[in-house]
């Protein structure tokens, strides 16, 4: 076993012994699984979990109701399996909440539930309007809303589950953008020094001075008409403000490593500067880069939530934790505080998970501090 493999094995062992880091790792793993299988897990598997039942407006967590399934006038177009897996499936029926129902000939007499503060209404439905079982009785489904419903009667749990996709996707793409820009510029600045270093540091300081929200607003005003996807604007805005952290770190690592003997050996063997930078020096600087990438992932989730909170992020009806928090912030001091608390707690848990993993990686890769182990 090489010395490098031995050090990596010891780092993995130290990371596994860090209980808080492992908790964060498990939370991230579970969040990733939920994001991939969101529409298979969510109680409401319609696109964007946007099944609206207005009679169920802002009902509390745990609320349960029986429903008739009413055929839609225009049957939905069935998508293929992959489309249903990634984007949900349009329901062929709309739901009518009821208290009770009985069959009278070819009709169904139902007491329709109208809401907590309203009296029920008696309605007659033809069997041809409803989903009917083999015995000729209407199929009644029972739904429980574990986290309650929002002001449009949508299932909050389903929208939270889909929201994790947005957070993880934005975090991943933004971190990749920041790494691509930060590693290249930081490596060139640290390796070559001189006027190249001064020019890149000037650029870093310029971007360091631009707040993310201000950059996002500038992008909306400047290129918002050219870029239709608001998600792409978020990627660019977050990525362009986070690369400076990566660049400064990589620059410092390269200034330290470029004086090492293996760099001198690579140069004396006639290797090109690009090969020396990316094949010899960069692998030795990956530990700190991985740590800052985890930190940036958590920051990207917070930035995306902040942009959605002020209306510059994912647009309705697509679910976003920041957008949900903004929509129901006025309920925080009422008996419907669960509307704002649910997305707030989700943001807190996911950000905490990435910070725990980042701290665990920092401790595991700290060779000097752990050299005695």
């Amino acid at each position: 076993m090489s010395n490098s493999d031995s050090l990596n094995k010891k780092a993995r062992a130290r990371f596994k012994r860090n209980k808080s880091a492992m908790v964060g790792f498990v939370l991230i793993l579970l969040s990733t699984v939920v994001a991939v299988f969101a529409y298979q897990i969510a109680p409401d598997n319609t696109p964007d979990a946007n099944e609206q039942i207005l009679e169920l407006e802002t009902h509390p967590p745990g609320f349960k109701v029986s429903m008739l399934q009413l055929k839609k006038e225009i049957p939905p177009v069935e998508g293929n399996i992959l489309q249903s897996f990634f984007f949900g499936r349009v329901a062929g029926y709309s739901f009518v909440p009821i208290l009770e129902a009985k069959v009278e000939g070819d009709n169904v007499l139902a007491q329709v539930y109208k809401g907590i503060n309203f009296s029920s209404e008696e309605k007659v439905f033809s069997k041809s309007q409803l989903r009917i079982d083999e015995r000729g009785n209407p199929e009644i489904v029972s739904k429980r809303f574990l986290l309650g419903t929002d002001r449009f009667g949508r299932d909050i749990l389903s929208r939270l589950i889909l929201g994790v996709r947005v957070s993880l996707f934005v975090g991943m793409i933004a971190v990749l953008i920041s790494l691509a820009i930060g590693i290249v510029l930081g490596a060139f600045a640290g390796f070559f020094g001189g006027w190249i270093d001064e020019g890149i540091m000037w650029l870093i300081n310029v971007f360091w001075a631009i707040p993310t929200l201000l950059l996002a607003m500038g992008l909306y005003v400047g290129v918002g008409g050219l870029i239709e996807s608001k998600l792409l604007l978020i990627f660019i805005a977050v990525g362009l403000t986070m690369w400076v952290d990566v660049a400064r770190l990589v620059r410092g690592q390269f200034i330290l490593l470029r004086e090492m003997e293996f760099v001198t050996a690579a140069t004396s063997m006639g290797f090109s500067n690009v090969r020396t930078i990316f094949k010899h020096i960069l692998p030795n600087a990956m530990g700190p880069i991985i740590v800052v990438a985890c930190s940036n992932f958590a920051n990207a989730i917070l930035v995306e939530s902040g942009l959605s909170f002020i209306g510059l992020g994912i647009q309705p009806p697509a679910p976003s934790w920041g957008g949900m928090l903004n929509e129901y912030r006025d309920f925080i001091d009422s008996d419907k505080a669960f509307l704002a608390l649910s997305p707030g707690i989700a943001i807190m848990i996911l950000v905490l998970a990435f910070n725990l993993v980042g701290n665990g990686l920092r401790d595991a890769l700290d060779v000097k501090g752990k050299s005695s182990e």
Side-chain angles (χ1 to χ4, degrees):
M1 180 183 294
S2 67
N3 186 49
S4 177
D5 291 337
S6 178
L7 290 175
N8 290 335
K9 186 176 181 180
K10 289 180 179 179
R12 286 194 295 269
R14 286 195 293 267
F15 182 80
K16 290 178 181 179
R17 288 198 299 269
N18 190 325
K19 293 182 180 179
S20 61
M22 288 305 297
V23 168
F25 178 76
V26 170
L27 287 173
I28 293 171
L29 189 62
L30 288 175
S31 298
T32 304
V33 172
V34 168
V36 172
F37 297 97
Y39 281 109
Q40 285 64 51
I41 298 172
D44 179 5
N45 59 3
T46 59
D48 296 326
N50 196 37
E51 183 71 49
Q52 300 183 17
I53 308 173
L54 299 180
E55 294 86 351
L56 304 184
E57 171 192 4
T58 61
H59 279 57
F63 176 76
K64 185 178 181 182
V65 67
S66 298
M67 297 189 186
L68 290 175
Q69 299 176 76
L70 189 65
K71 294 178 182 178
K72 292 184 176 179
E73 294 182 4
I74 302 176
V77 178
E78 290 290 336
N80 57 46
I81 296 176
L82 283 177
Q83 187 176 2
S84 299
F85 184 89
F86 289 107
F87 302 105
R89 182 176 55 200
V90 179
Y93 299 85
S94 55
F95 294 96
V96 180
I98 61 170
L99 298 178
E100 60 179 357
K102 59 181 179 180
V103 178
E104 293 185 352
D106 291 332
N107 296 322
V108 175
L109 183 62
Q111 288 290 332
V112 178
Y113 178 76
K114 305 299 290 184
I116 296 176
N117 300 318
F118 300 93
S119 301
S120 62
E121 178 183 349
E122 190 174 84
K123 279 191 176 182
V124 178
F125 299 93
S126 171
K127 283 186 178 181
S128 62
Q129 295 178 278
L130 304 173
R131 189 171 185 174
I132 304 298
D133 62 19
E134 297 176 353
R135 299 181 180 180
N137 296 320
E139 289 192 9
I140 299 176
V141 297
S142 179
K143 284 194 174 187
R144 183 180 294 277
F145 300 89
L146 296 178
L147 295 181
T149 58
D150 64 11
R151 62 192 181 98
F152 296 106
R154 298 175 296 194
D155 182 35
I156 291 178
L157 176 59
S158 298
R159 293 181 65 78
L160 282 178
I161 289 173
L162 293 184
V164 74
R165 272 188 172 184
V166 174
S167 295
L168 289 179
F169 194 46
V170 169
M172 180 181 67
I173 300 299
V175 165
L176 289 177
I177 292 174
S178 68
L179 289 178
I181 299 174
I183 287 176
V184 172
L185 293 183
F188 279 37
F191 183 80
F192 292 108
W195 66 269
I196 295 179
D197 184 23
E198 292 178 2
I200 293 175
M201 283 303 299
W202 177 86
L203 187 64
I204 288 174
N205 290 330
V206 169
F207 274 88
W208 196 288
I210 304 175
T212 301
L213 296 181
L214 184 60
L215 178 59
M217 292 177 186
L219 287 172
Y220 268 76
V221 174
V223 298
L226 301 176
I227 301 177
E228 184 177 350
S229 174
K230 302 303 180 186
L231 197 59
L232 181 57
L233 283 174
I234 294 175
F235 293 156
I236 297 172
V238 178
L240 288 182
T241 54
M242 291 198 309
W243 70 266
V244 292
D245 295 318
V246 179
R248 287 172 66 93
L249 174 68
V250 173
R251 173 181 175 271
Q253 291 293 309
F254 267 67
I255 290 175
L256 178 65
L257 293 172
R258 72 185 180 187
E259 305 298 333
M260 303 293 285
E261 292 180 357
F262 71 90
V263 177
T264 304
T267 304
S268 63
M269 293 178 67
F271 293 155
S272 66
N273 290 333
V274 173
R275 177 173 178 176
T276 302
I277 289 172
F278 292 105
K279 191 172 181 179
H280 297 282
I281 303 179
L282 184 59
N284 288 280
M286 285 308 297
I289 294 174
I290 293 172
V291 174
V292 79
C294 283
S295 176
N296 281 349
F297 211 119
N299 290 336
I301 293 172
L302 285 175
V303 170
E304 182 279 323
S305 299
L307 290 172
S308 297
F309 184 79
I310 64 174
L312 296 180
I314 306 301
Q315 299 301 306
S320 166
W321 291 348
M324 294 171 68
L325 194 60
N326 175 46
E327 190 173 1
Y328 301 111
R329 58 183 176 179
D330 294 335
F331 290 87
I332 196 65
D333 57 349
S334 69
D335 59 347
K336 301 185 187 300
F338 63 89
L339 293 168
L341 289 176
S342 299
I345 292 173
I347 294 170
M348 180 192 72
I349 290 175
L350 194 56
V351 170
L352 177 63
F354 277 101
N355 283 329
L356 290 175
V357 170
N359 291 338
L361 287 171
R362 180 197 62 203
D363 295 339
L365 296 171
D366 184 8
V367 179
K368 293 181 181 179
K370 304 292 182 180
S371 58
S372 60
E373 295 186 19

